[in-house]
């Protein structure tokens, strides 16, 4: 039973929940049953069929409706006298500004992506509102408390980025199935169904690749009267046959590698698929034509079944035909979506055919979807446990029991007979550019990089700013906002296309930039260091940002896959005598069988997080006493 003090704190609290998915459903229910009476929920998503196995507030009849609204209505049925307000909106929308956040006593996150988490973290810092962060991935989970000036903020420690692979590995020398998935998803699918103007050369990096670029352009161009099946076979023969033969012409590449095998449609498929499988009218179309699939017409029912080369080839051709027959209006604008059944079927088939060519083990549709979507399947009980822990920490925050705050980890395997690992929070990281205002260092070629490169690749992609403002000294180089007049917008757009060294206030070696986001009320300094050359494979962006955090050293690489290639962030345990002398207690417990230090993967739909190994917590920097 809650004490009188706890009940008073709970009843008088105004709580903001961000996210009404796997964790959010459990959290809203637990808040309501714990006595909270003023709850606000923000979620931009609508309910999908795949949510129903664990997001228990939703039913089949709710598919397509707002998660926030349906969750609110469901809870009000058994707690009709409390106030719950729902917002079917993006938390990054302008109306959810610092003033909006200031009205709440605590913010509880159940978000599904790093970008939104960073945004909420910054707004909570600016509004000086406590944040309880959370996430789950499979059987793992964690809850962390972030209080401005007392504990580290969400961004005090670097979050692993999804694994990127060298272009030459993807296009020429794949060795893992994930390489084939990346090729099928980001190159082939994008080339066939995405933006035709994007730079996407599907020819292998061979000696004659330059001369074949025009041929490649002709291959992917489909004339109006060209038969769809013949077009599909032409694409098949080009990417799995001609391109492989072109790659084999470079003998040097294959001296120490297994040589791939060119595959042509005539060697795998019958002359006419229409006679064998019927027309595209026999495809599976369900839920008001929203789901299109080739599997029923090919007699494929089990997504966990391993398809052979012939079956993959049939799926490849039939899926391509269906895109042109049923979804022609979307072609040219499509991007891969793990919830798009036809897209998953096409990418699985293409990846498997390429894997067959390169002697890589094939994978089922179920496995391929997991890799393509970075999926670890969600566990409802983990969400329930984490939701309960969030409420426990929220009550501590409301009572201002700073000494009792805990970061709690949910483990998959018991450690010293424990599955829940409570740990004292970290102090703010003095090297954090978000909460400690430490300057960043940007290495960049100021003569070859444009302001647009800086804005897109650094300010937006890495720093997560939505409405950036960039100043060099007293000169305003770039700004975004609805209150700008046409002349200002034209000037800033013109600046975007100028090289850094040619701007009205030139950015050169030693320049210091001020970058702000007025919505997030975040400002940071970037010191520019001119650098002539960059390694195209290791530094493909042509610029390097450092100074995100200087406390733990990172040694390892992160991978956005679900086949034992999840991101790892190995923390250096030898970070100085100060660290060693101020190690935090692990509640007298230290796990012995949890090998991965940090995982950053996406669960089945919307329960995504970074899960840190609590074993590594004792090796991090300064702890809160």
């Amino acid at each position: 039973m809650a004490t009188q003090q706890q009940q008073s704190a709970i009843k008088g609290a105004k709580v903001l929940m961000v996210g009404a998915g796997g964790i959010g459903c459990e959290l809203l229910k637990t808040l309501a049953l714990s006595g909270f009476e003023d709850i606000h929920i923000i979620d931009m998503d609508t309910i999908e069929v795949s949510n129903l196995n664990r997001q228990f507030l939703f039913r089949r009849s709710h598919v397509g409706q707002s998660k926030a609204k349906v969750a609110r209505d469901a809870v009000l049925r058994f707690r009709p006298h409390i106030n719950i307000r729902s917002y079917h909106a993006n938390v990054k929308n302008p109306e959810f500004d610092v003033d909006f956040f200031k009205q709440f006593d605590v913010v509880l996150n159940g978000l599904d992506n790093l970008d939104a988490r960073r945004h909420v973290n910054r707004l909570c810092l600016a509004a000086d509102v406590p944040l309880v962060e959370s996430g789950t991935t499979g059987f793992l989970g964690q809850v962390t408390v972030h209080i401005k000036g007392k504990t580290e903020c969400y961004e005090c420690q670097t979050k692993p980025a999804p694994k990127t692979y060298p272009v030459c590995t993807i296009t020429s020398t794949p060795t893992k199935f994930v390489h084939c998935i990346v090729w099928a998803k980001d190159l082939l699918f994008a080339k066939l169904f995405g933006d035709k103007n994007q730079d996407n050369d599907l020819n292998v990096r061979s000696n004659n690749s330059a001369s074949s670029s025009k041929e490649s352009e002709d291959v992917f161009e489909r004339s109006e009267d060209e038969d769809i099946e013949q077009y599909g076979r032409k694409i098949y023969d080009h990417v799995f046959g001609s391109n492989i033969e072109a790659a084999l012409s470079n003998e040097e590449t294959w001296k120490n590698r297994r040589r791939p095998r060119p595959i042509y449609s005539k060697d795998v498929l019958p002359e006419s698929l229409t006679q064998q499988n019927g027309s595209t009218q026999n495809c599976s179309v369900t839920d008001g034509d929203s789901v299109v699939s080739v599997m029923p017409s090919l007699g494929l029912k089990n997504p966990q079944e391993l398809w052979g080369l012939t079956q993959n080839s049939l799926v490849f051709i039939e899926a391509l035909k269906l895109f042109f027959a049923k979804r022609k209006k979307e072609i040219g604008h499509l991007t891969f979506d793990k919830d798009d059944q036809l897209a998953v079927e096409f990418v699985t088939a293409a990846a498997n055919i390429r894997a067959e060519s390169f002697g890589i083990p094939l994978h089922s549709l179920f496995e391929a979807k997991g890799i393509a979507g970075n999926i670890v399947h969600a566990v409802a009980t983990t969400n329930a446990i984490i939701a309960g822990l969030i409420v426990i920490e929220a009550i501590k925050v409301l009572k201002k029991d700073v000494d009792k705050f805990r970061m709690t980890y949910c483990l998959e395997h018991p450690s010293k007979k424990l599955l829940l690992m409570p740990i004292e929070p970290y102090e703010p990281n003095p090297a954090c550019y978000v909460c400690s205002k430490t300057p960043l260092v940007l290495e960049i070629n100021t003569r070859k990089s444009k302001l647009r490169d800086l804005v897109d690749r650094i300010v937006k992609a890495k720093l997560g700013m939505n409405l950036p403002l960039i100043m060099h000294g007293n000169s305003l180089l770039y700004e975004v906002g609805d209150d700008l007049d046409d002349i200002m917008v034209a000037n800033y757009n013109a600046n975007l296309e100028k090289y850094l060294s040619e701007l009205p206030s030139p950015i050169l070696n030693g320049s210091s930039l001020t970058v702000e986001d007025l919505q997030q009320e975040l400002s940071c300094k970037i010191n520019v260091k001119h650098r002539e050359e960059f390694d195209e494979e290791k530094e493909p962006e042509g610029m390097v940002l450092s100074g995100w955090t200087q406390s733990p050293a990172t040694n390892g690489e992160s991978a956005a896959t679900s086949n034992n290639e999840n991101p790892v962030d190995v923390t250096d345990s030898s970070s100085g005598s100060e660290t060693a002398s101020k190690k935090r207690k692990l509640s007298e417990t230290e796990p012995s069988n949890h090998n991965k230090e940090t995982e950053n993967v996406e669960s089945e739909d919307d329960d995504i997080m970074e899960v840190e190994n609590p074993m590594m917590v004792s090796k991090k920097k300064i702890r809160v006493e």
Side-chain angles (χ1 to χ4, degrees):
M1 290 289 293
T3 66
Q4 188 65 36
Q5 184 184 6
Q6 287 175 333
Q7 290 177 348
S8 176
I10 289 170
K11 287 187 175 181
K14 189 172 185 178
V15 178
L16 174 63
M17 272 180 54
V18 188
I23 294 174
C25 281
E26 293 284 353
L27 178 57
L28 182 59
K29 174 262 297 181
T30 306
L31 286 171
L33 294 177
S34 299
F36 286 85
E37 297 183 350
D38 192 357
I39 307 168
H40 294 236
I41 319 166
I42 303 174
D43 195 302
M44 66 182 290
D45 287 340
T46 54
I47 298 164
E48 299 177 7
V49 173
S50 59
N51 301 147
L52 303 181
N53 70 332
R54 67 195 179 284
Q55 297 175 21
F56 69 96
L57 295 179
F58 308 144
R59 298 292 181 266
R60 181 85 185 199
S61 59
H62 297 140
V63 171
Q65 298 181 40
S66 162
K67 285 187 176 182
K69 183 181 184 305
V70 172
R72 169 191 177 274
D73 294 344
V75 171
L76 286 177
R77 289 193 187 96
F78 60 85
R79 279 291 183 271
H81 303 302
I82 68 175
N83 175 52
I84 304 177
R85 182 173 178 183
S86 64
Y87 307 82
H88 179 52
N90 190 333
V91 71
K92 295 171 69 176
N93 287 354
E95 62 263 34
F96 305 122
D97 56 10
V98 174
D99 289 335
F100 175 84
F101 272 71
K102 283 181 178 178
Q103 66 182 299
F104 298 102
D105 297 298
V106 64
V107 175
L108 312 177
N109 259 0
L111 282 163
D112 61 357
N113 65 86
L114 176 62
D115 185 45
R117 279 190 167 100
R118 294 196 301 184
H119 184 76
V120 172
N121 175 63
R122 295 169 186 188
L123 287 172
C124 286
L125 286 171
D128 198 10
V129 175
L131 169 66
V132 181
E133 182 60 77
S134 69
T136 63
T137 178
F139 293 101
L140 304 178
Q142 74 180 35
V143 174
T144 57
V145 182
H146 305 282
I147 310 291
K148 183 177 181 179
K150 295 180 180 179
T151 70
E152 69 173 8
C153 79
Y154 176 73
E155 297 175 78
C156 273
Q157 306 298 337
T158 306
K159 304 297 183 287
K163 170 70 179 177
T164 57
Y165 299 96
V167 173
C168 61
T169 299
I170 299 302
T171 59
S172 303
T173 56
T175 57
K176 302 176 182 178
F177 188 71
V178 65
H179 298 157
C180 301
I181 285 286
V182 172
W183 176 88
K185 179 178 71 165
D186 295 343
L187 296 182
L188 183 60
F189 185 89
K191 183 75 173 178
L192 287 168
F193 309 118
D195 184 1
K196 300 295 183 183
N197 297 320
Q198 65 182 335
D199 183 17
N200 184 341
D201 183 7
L202 272 172
N203 283 286
V204 293
R205 306 297 182 188
S206 60
N207 291 334
N208 64 343
S209 61
S211 63
S212 64
S213 61
K214 185 177 186 304
E215 177 188 344
S216 172
E217 197 66 36
D218 293 338
V219 167
F220 285 93
E221 191 68 34
R222 176 176 176 257
S223 59
E224 287 293 329
D225 59 348
E226 186 173 9
D227 179 74
I228 300 177
E229 182 177 322
Q230 292 306 313
Y231 174 73
R233 286 175 178 266
K234 181 175 68 174
I235 298 299
Y236 185 109
D237 292 342
H238 177 73
V239 297
F240 302 121
S242 303
N243 268 2
I244 302 300
E245 288 192 2
L248 288 170
S249 66
N250 189 342
E251 294 292 338
E252 194 69 27
T253 303
W254 310 107
K255 279 187 176 180
N256 300 308
R257 292 185 176 94
R258 177 174 178 170
R259 296 171 67 87
R261 172 172 68 95
I263 302 174
Y264 289 92
S265 61
K266 63 181 177 61
D267 300 324
V268 181
L269 299 172
E271 287 187 11
S272 175
L273 300 183
T274 304
Q275 294 177 359
Q276 177 174 324
N277 303 310
S279 70
T280 54
Q281 301 301 321
N282 295 328
C283 67
S284 171
V285 182
T286 61
D287 293 338
D289 289 3
S290 62
V291 178
V292 181
S293 170
V294 302
M295 291 177 64
S297 66
L298 297 175
L300 304 173
K301 298 179 181 179
N302 184 0
Q304 299 191 42
E305 178 186 355
L306 197 63
W307 302 338
L309 177 60
T310 299
Q311 289 172 309
N312 279 294
S313 300
L314 288 169
V315 171
F316 178 91
I317 297 295
E318 293 298 331
L320 186 144
K321 289 165 63 177
L322 273 182
F323 270 114
F324 281 94
K326 299 287 184 180
R327 299 172 60 178
K328 190 172 182 179
K329 291 181 180 180
E330 299 176 62
I331 293 177
H333 310 285
L334 283 170
T335 55
F336 177 81
D337 184 343
K338 63 180 172 58
D339 296 318
D340 184 335
Q341 177 67 17
L342 189 60
V344 171
E345 291 171 359
F346 178 85
V347 165
T348 298
N352 272 327
I353 299 167
R354 186 165 175 83
E356 176 75 19
S357 177
F358 282 86
I360 299 170
L362 308 189
H363 285 59
S364 69
L365 179 79
F366 180 82
E367 294 169 323
K369 180 179 179 180
I371 297 170
N374 310 327
I375 294 170
V376 171
H377 295 282
V379 178
T381 48
T382 310
N383 291 338
I385 292 167
I386 293 300
L389 292 170
I390 293 170
V391 174
I392 290 172
E393 293 305 319
I395 292 172
K396 295 178 189 175
V397 168
L398 295 172
K399 291 177 60 184
K400 304 188 186 304
D401 282 343
V402 179
D403 293 339
K404 295 183 180 179
F405 292 167
R406 291 294 181 269
M407 296 166 52
T408 305
Y409 298 88
C410 181
L411 308 180
E412 182 173 359
H413 304 289
S415 176
K416 297 186 178 180
K417 299 183 180 181
L418 293 177
L419 284 171
L420 294 180
M421 187 69 57
I423 299 166
E424 293 178 26
Y426 309 158
E427 268 190 354
N429 180 0
C432 177
Y433 76 94
V434 176
C435 66
S436 299
K437 309 301 182 185
T438 299
L440 302 169
V441 176
L442 175 64
E443 297 179 65
I444 190 170
N445 190 320
T446 58
R447 292 191 289 270
K448 294 182 179 179
S449 298
K450 296 180 178 180
L451 183 61
R452 180 180 296 280
D453 300 325
L454 173 64
V455 171
D456 291 344
R457 300 178 189 178
I458 300 296
V459 177
K460 291 183 178 179
K462 292 198 183 316
L463 301 185
M465 294 189 177
N466 305 312
L467 300 173
L469 177 152
I470 302 175
M471 293 191 68
H472 181 207
N474 294 323
S475 297
L476 183 57
L477 300 177
Y478 181 72
E479 185 179 8
V480 176
D482 296 332
D483 57 343
L484 304 179
D485 59 41
D486 293 341
I487 296 177
M488 296 170 70
V489 171
N491 288 337
Y492 293 144
N493 287 339
N495 282 347
L496 287 175
E497 305 308 322
K498 294 179 181 178
Y499 294 105
L500 298 180
S501 60
E502 297 176 357
L503 288 165
S505 177
I507 298 176
L508 307 169
N509 185 55
S511 293
S512 180
L513 305 178
T514 300
V515 184
E516 299 182 10
D517 188 307
L518 300 181
Q519 183 186 12
Q520 299 173 351
E521 294 195 10
L522 173 68
S523 176
C524 66
K525 298 284 186 182
I526 300 179
N527 296 326
V528 177
K529 181 179 179 181
H530 175 80
R531 181 171 153 192
E532 282 291 334
E533 301 294 336
F534 293 87
D535 187 309
E536 291 185 3
E537 294 297 335
K538 296 180 181 179
E539 303 162 329
E541 292 180 329
M543 55 189 74
V544 176
L545 183 69
S546 56
W548 300 58
T549 174
Q550 298 172 2
S551 37
T554 300
N555 178 19
E557 64 179 13
S558 58
T561 72
S562 58
N563 58 343
N564 297 322
E565 294 179 303
N566 296 326
V568 294
D569 182 14
V570 183
T571 307
D572 188 357
S573 60
S574 58
S575 51
S577 58
E578 180 185 46
T579 304
S581 65
K582 296 190 178 182
K583 288 181 182 177
R584 151 171 69 231
K585 293 180 181 178
L586 295 181
S587 300
E588 308 303 327
T589 314
E590 187 167 304
S592 59
N593 60 348
H594 206 68
N595 296 324
K596 291 182 181 178
E597 281 69 30
T598 305
E599 298 191 16
N600 181 14
V601 292
E602 185 175 348
S603 63
E604 191 168 39
D605 281 298
D606 55 358
D607 312 313
I608 176 176
M609 68 171 305
E610 293 85 19
V611 180
E612 296 186 47
N613 182 353
M615 183 175 179
M616 299 305 297
V617 170
S618 65
K619 300 177 181 178
K620 290 190 176 180
K621 207 176 177 187
I622 305 173
R623 311 303 177 222
V624 174
E625 298 298 336

